[in-house]
Amino acid sequence: MTGAKTLLPGATIGVMGGGQLGRMFAVAARRMGYFVHTFSPDKNGPAAQFSDQATTAAYDDEEAVRRFAGAIDVLTFEFENMPAATIEWASHQQLVRPKGAILLTAQNRLREKEFLAGAGFPVAPFRRIANSSELTQAIEAIGRPAILKGAAFGYDGKGQQRIDPETELAAVWEGREDELCVLEAVIDFEKEISVIAARDPSGATAVFPVSENIHRNHILDLTLAPARIEERVAAAARELACDVAEKLDLVGLLAVEMFLKSDGELIINELAPRPHNSGHWTIEGCVTSQFEQNVRAVCGLPLGSTGLLRPTAMVNLLGDVWQGGEPHWPAALEEPNVHLHLYGKHQPRPGRKMGHLTAVGETVEAAVESARRARERLALN
Ligand SMILES: Nc1ncnc2c1ncn2[C@@H]1O[C@H](COP(=O)(O)OP(=O)(O)O)[C@@H](O)[C@H]1O
Ligand SMILES: [Mg+2]
């Protein structure tokens, strides 16, 4: 179901997915007087801990999905990698924002790239790969270095292999068997940036300041905002994100990851039709956070100002931070401009996103320094 319906405070927002994005969404929604009902296969996860109600069931449990969809007033997502059938069952029963077709596009790299390229948006040269001979041909066409990515279920660099001049193609394909993949050219970028746009049911858009992202081991490590790029490039990046949201006919939030080349050219890397790790800084850094904006867009309320309050930096806290025991929280918070966000996850596995620290500053450099220093202080004993 789609439509221009407005959901007022007092309505129940259903959220598919149970992670930290759903948790921070629930905080914003409940603050505004909405009820939040989450659906996740994991019991008492980050989102459930902050929800009014939590359904614990598998995504392929049709009866549970239908019952959940019938118990809410609108459905949104904090996670896009669920079976198409789940989205379809829910869509039959309930207003779904963003609409299911957008989830299906964004959950598969091939569909996503084909949509973007087909609509004339800039993407890295790519090929669809379904077997080893297609890989050999595509490498001829695209050249090296290239990156082979599984089409489905990838995040934090999982399922990706880089193909350098000396890489043996046979070894790359081993273990993939007949997995559908995308081969793309490696882009020699100067910076990675992302832009989060919101679009409401009437088609109005609002776009946040550009985030500059630094990854470590393919996982986002640091976001600083506003990105240290030319105003002209920032304007182009923001316009690009709005154009993609428009083309998708999105209602909700869209994060657009981009590569910025040294000549100023922008290449779209990935889309996420939901809140994004690179937008967590907006909680402290902007007039309206990405999470509140998501609530407003999904409920059909006027979008809030995306104005920047202060330069801001965010560092992720991965499970690795727990290696030497419980992190020293008071030491980190001795930085008075630093804010702690923990997601309520019980197992601090290496590489797992457990929380983040946000710092505001007079300049973006000062904010970065505070955030990094605070994270280093977690190891003090
Ligand atoms: N075509 C590319 N050229 C250069 N670097 C890339 C390319 N694709 C991915 N990367 C690097 O790998 C990271 C993760 O890839 P991405 O496609 O965003 O997958 P994930 O779903 O894991 O975030 C990117 O943020 C970027 O640093
Ligand atoms: Mg990515």
Side-chain angles (χ1 to χ4, degrees), residues 50-172:
F50 272 70
S51 301
D52 295 278
Q53 235 181 308
T55 293
T56 307
Y59 291 122
D60 61 4
D61 182 341
E62 179 171 357
E63 202 200 315
V65 171
R66 287 187 185 275
R67 204 177 327 117
F68 164 71
I72 58 180
D73 298 306
V74 62
L75 177 64
T76 192
F77 303 84
E78 67 100 57
F79 171 75
E80 64 269 36
N81 283 322
M82 62 194 62
T86 310
I87 299 167
E88 201 184 303
W89 298 327
S91 304
H92 278 147
Q93 201 101 8
Q94 189 51 261
L95 178 64
V96 174
R97 289 174 172 168
K99 63 185 175 192
I102 298 176
L103 274 285
L104 295 183
T105 299
Q107 70 178 205
N108 181 288
R109 284 184 203 282
L110 192 59
R111 281 200 288 268
E112 186 173 280
K113 285 234 160 34
E114 283 170 348
F115 155 74
L116 288 167
F121 293 112
V123 292
F126 72 96
R127 291 285 187 287
R128 173 190 195 275
I129 312 286
N131 56 50
S132 62
S133 66
E134 286 181 4
L135 177 60
T136 309
Q137 286 167 21
I139 277 288
E140 294 286 314
I142 285 188
R144 302 177 185 228
I147 302 186
L148 184 68
K149 303 179 178 179
F153 293 111
Y155 69 100
D156 290 344
K158 290 185 180 29
Q160 299 193 13
Q161 284 163 288
R162 190 177 155 113
I163 301 173
D164 283 308
E166 66 283 2
T167 308
E168 288 276 355
L169 286 190
V172 168

Side-chain angles (χ1 to χ4, degrees), residues 6-251:
T6 300
L7 286 305
L8 298 175
T12 299
I13 308 175
V15 180
M16 276 285 181
Q20 62 269 18
L21 302 174
R23 180 184 181 93
M24 291 181 270
F25 177 90
V27 170
R30 294 187 69 182
R31 178 168 51 71
M32 294 170 77
Y34 289 94
F35 294 95
V36 175
H37 185 164
T38 50
F39 186 107
S40 164
D42 304 314
K43 202 173 168 61
N44 199 28
Q49 294 164 20
F50 272 70
S51 301
D52 295 278
Q53 235 181 308
T55 293
T56 307
Y59 291 122
D60 61 4
D61 182 341
E62 179 171 357
E63 202 200 315
V65 171
R66 287 187 185 275
R67 204 177 327 117
F68 164 71
I72 58 180
D73 298 306
V74 62
L75 177 64
T76 192
F77 303 84
E78 67 100 57
F79 171 75
E80 64 269 36
N81 283 322
M82 62 194 62
T86 310
I87 299 167
E88 201 184 303
W89 298 327
S91 304
H92 278 147
Q93 201 101 8
Q94 189 51 261
L95 178 64
V96 174
R97 289 174 172 168
K99 63 185 175 192
I102 298 176
L103 274 285
L104 295 183
T105 299
Q107 70 178 205
N108 181 288
R109 284 184 203 282
L110 192 59
R111 281 200 288 268
E112 186 173 280
K113 285 234 160 34
E114 283 170 348
F115 155 74
L116 288 167
F121 293 112
V123 292
F126 72 96
R127 291 285 187 287
R128 173 190 195 275
I129 312 286
N131 56 50
S132 62
S133 66
E134 286 181 4
L135 177 60
T136 309
Q137 286 167 21
I139 277 288
E140 294 286 314
I142 285 188
R144 302 177 185 228
I147 302 186
L148 184 68
K149 303 179 178 179
F153 293 111
Y155 69 100
D156 290 344
K158 290 185 180 29
Q160 299 193 13
Q161 284 163 288
R162 190 177 155 113
I163 301 173
D164 283 308
E166 66 283 2
T167 308
E168 288 276 355
L169 286 190
V172 168
W173 195 253
E174 225 168 83
R176 293 262 187 197
E177 267 80 57
D178 291 325
E179 185 188 351
L180 188 59
C181 292
V182 179
L183 182 78
E184 54 181 80
V186 166
I187 301 296
D188 183 16
F189 57 78
E190 189 177 276
K191 274 182 201 288
E192 288 195 72
I193 61 172
S194 57
V195 182
I196 296 169
R199 189 165 176 274
D200 76 9
S202 76
T205 56
V207 57
F208 285 95
V210 179
S211 304
E212 178 175 337
N213 302 320
I214 295 166
H215 294 80
R216 198 194 274 175
N217 301 327
H218 300 282
I219 305 176
L220 183 64
D221 182 55
L222 166 71
T223 293
L224 48 99
R228 297 163 299 178
I229 58 178
E230 277 176 55
E231 193 39 57
R232 181 181 57 83
V233 174
R238 297 173 83 201
E239 192 177 324
L240 200 47
C242 288
D243 289 349
V244 176
E246 192 101 2
K247 189 75 194 173
L248 285 169
D249 190 25
L250 173 108
V251 176

Side-chain angles (χ1 to χ4, degrees), residues 109 215 257 269-270 276:
R109 284 184 203 282
H215 294 80
E257 295 179 13
N269 174 39
E270 259 199 308
H276 195 260

